[in-house]
């Protein structure tokens, strides 16, 4: 009788160990799956960040180029206006000198 009880006890312990081992393996597999999914999500997030950085850099480059072009055009317009003022003043001075010359003569 004692022999059968010990055998049953050992069988129960073995089943418990087997169930614990199965549960540990399932937990381990779930952990590995979760880590894989986290890594995949991190890679997706990094790709999105890289894409946003590229878009921002391209937009900034284009904006800088547009500002340089507009600045150049603005500078050229200022130069043209300044030259027109100089030409107008030169014309006024020339007219004044011609008027003085005609009065003297």
């Amino acid at each position: 009788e004692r022999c059968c009880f010990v055998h049953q006890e050992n069988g129960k312990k073995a089943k418990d160990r087997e169930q614990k081992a199965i549960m540990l393996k399932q937990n381990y597999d779930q952990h590995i799956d979760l880590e894989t999914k986290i890594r995949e999500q991190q890679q997706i997030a990094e790709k999105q960040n890289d894409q946003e950085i590229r878009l921002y850099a391209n937009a900034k480059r284009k904006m800088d180029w547009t500002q340089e072009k507009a600045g150049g055009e603005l500078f050229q317009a200022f130069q043209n206006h300044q030259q027109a003022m100089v030409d107008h003043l030169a014309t006024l001075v020339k007219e004044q000198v011609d008027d003085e010359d005609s009065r003297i003569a």
Side-chain angles (χ1 to χ4, degrees):
E1 199 175 293
R2 174 144 170 85
C3 176
C4 289
F5 179 73
V6 171
H7 185 64
Q8 286 176 344
E9 188 71 24
N10 285 341
K12 187 174 181 186
K13 285 182 182 179
K15 276 188 177 183
D16 286 346
R17 278 194 304 259
E18 200 174 308
Q19 285 181 341
K20 283 182 183 178
I22 289 171
M23 286 178 58
L24 282 173
K25 175 142 178 34
Q26 288 173 345
N27 287 340
Y28 177 76
D29 290 342
Q30 289 174 351
H31 178 76
I32 295 298
D33 288 343
L34 185 61
E35 280 185 344
T36 303
K37 288 177 183 176
I38 289 171
R39 251 185 264 118
E40 288 171 356
Q41 291 299 319
Q42 287 174 337
Q43 288 175 346
I44 290 170
E46 285 177 16
K47 285 179 183 179
Q48 288 175 341
N49 287 341
D50 289 346
Q51 185 177 7
E52 287 176 12
I53 289 169
R54 273 194 300 279
L55 288 173
Y56 174 78
N58 287 338
K60 182 162 177 20
R61 217 174 294 122
K62 186 174 181 179
M63 187 174 69
D64 289 345
W65 178 80
T66 303
Q67 285 179 344
E68 285 177 19
K69 183 179 175 188
E73 290 172 357
L74 186 63
F75 179 74
Q76 188 60 45
F78 175 75
Q79 288 280 334
N80 292 343
H81 179 68
Q82 189 177 19
Q83 187 61 45
M85 288 174 38
V86 168
D87 292 344
H88 180 67
L89 288 174
T91 303
L92 289 177
V93 169
K94 185 175 184 303
E95 287 175 0
Q96 192 176 21
V97 168
D98 288 347
D99 186 43
E100 287 176 7
D101 285 346
S102 68
R103 284 188 198 173
I104 295 175

